[in-house]
């Protein structure tokens, strides 16, 4: 359900979708080929309980339910050619097997299966204000984290057997 304004290749859509995989609200300006070389989009996006794995974007079921509200700007329609900038907030969401209560996405750039940017985590498992770089194409997957941590429970985030709390400024390469 929603509104559509514009032509076939250049339009604004304000729409909402609800399915068994969650809900999505969007207000996006979109341009499609042949008007532009690749699909482009710019606007606002909100999800509630969206099962990202059902979209089959990444291998290995990286995310569970996503509750996100924020801005999106980019181009491309599949992971091979996507170039996307995200800002916003995800609450009570799951990313790569980690349950996050509150994730603030200051600026995250997704290019193909690489991701880099600045995020803040503030939940019952600790606080982090970090720059993150991830390359999901590499085997094993590579992560780099630089930033500040306070009472950060690595048992939850690093899947350790015993609790290990971290409060520090750190550079971590895995």
């Amino acid at each position: 359900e929603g509104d559509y304004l514009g032509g076939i290749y250049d339009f604004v859509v304000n729409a909402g979708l609800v399915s068994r995989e969650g809900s999505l609200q969007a207000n996006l300006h979109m341009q499609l080929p042949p008007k532009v070389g690749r699909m482009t989009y710019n606007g606002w996006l909100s999800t509630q309980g969206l099962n990202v794995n059902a979209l089959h974007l990444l291998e290995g079921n990286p995310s569970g339910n996503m509750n996100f509200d924020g801005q999106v700007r980019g181009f491309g329609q599949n992971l091979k050619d996507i170039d996307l900038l995200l800002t916003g907030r995800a609450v009570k969401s799951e990313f790569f097997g980690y349950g996050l209560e509150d994730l603030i996405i200051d600026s995250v750039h997704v290019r193909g299966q690489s991701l880099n940017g600045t995020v803040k985590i503030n939940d019952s498992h600790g606080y982090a204000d970090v720059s993150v770089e991830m390359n999901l194409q590499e085997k094993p997957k590579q992560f780099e984290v630089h930033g500040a941590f306070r009472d950060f429970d690595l048992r939850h985030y690093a899947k350790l057997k015993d609790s290990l709390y971290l409060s520090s400024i750190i550079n971590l390469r895995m």
Side-chain angles (χ1 to χ4, degrees):
E1 184 176 311
D3 300 313
Y4 178 93
L5 176 65
I8 296 173
Y9 304 112
D10 190 350
F11 56 91
V12 175
V13 63
N14 184 4
L17 303 168
V18 177
S19 78
R20 64 187 169 144
E21 304 297 349
S23 69
L24 173 94
Q25 297 285 325
N27 185 314
L28 296 171
H29 174 219
M30 299 188 69
Q31 294 180 310
L32 306 174
K35 171 101 177 171
V36 292
R38 293 191 271 180
M39 178 188 344
T40 66
Y41 31 88
N42 185 13
W44 168 83
L45 185 66
S46 179
T47 66
Q48 291 297 313
L50 182 66
N51 179 0
V52 177
N53 294 332
L55 301 175
H56 303 289
L57 295 174
L58 295 171
E59 296 176 18
N61 297 329
S63 299
N65 290 334
M66 183 188 301
N67 302 302
F68 173 79
D69 188 23
Q71 300 289 319
V72 58
R73 183 180 72 217
F75 54 86
Q77 62 191 49
N78 62 53
L79 281 181
K80 291 178 183 171
D81 74 348
I82 198 165
D83 193 330
L84 173 68
L85 183 64
L86 289 170
T87 58
R89 182 176 223 150
V91 295
K92 296 181 182 168
S93 297
E94 184 181 324
F95 297 95
F96 302 98
Y98 302 102
L100 298 172
E101 295 166 22
D102 190 13
L103 173 69
I104 298 169
I105 302 164
D106 283 340
S107 179
V108 170
H109 187 203
V110 179
R111 180 175 285 147
Q113 291 194 33
S114 295
L115 176 146
N116 65 50
T118 304
V119 298
K120 293 179 182 149
I121 299 170
N122 189 14
D123 64 25
S124 62
H125 300 287
Y127 171 84
D129 184 351
V130 297
S131 294
V132 177
E133 292 184 31
M134 298 169 61
N135 187 336
L136 303 177
Q137 291 176 320
E138 299 291 326
K139 302 286 186 211
K141 295 181 181 6
Q142 294 184 2
F143 301 88
E144 267 192 59
V145 178
H146 308 272
F149 297 85
R150 186 175 64 242
D151 298 326
F152 203 70
D153 185 358
L154 289 175
R155 180 185 61 164
H156 177 75
Y157 292 108
K159 306 294 183 183
L160 300 176
K161 290 181 182 178
D162 296 317
S163 289
L164 175 63
Y165 289 90
L166 177 67
S167 293
S168 181
I169 294 176
I170 189 169
N171 291 325
L172 172 67
R173 177 176 267 173
M174 295 174 54

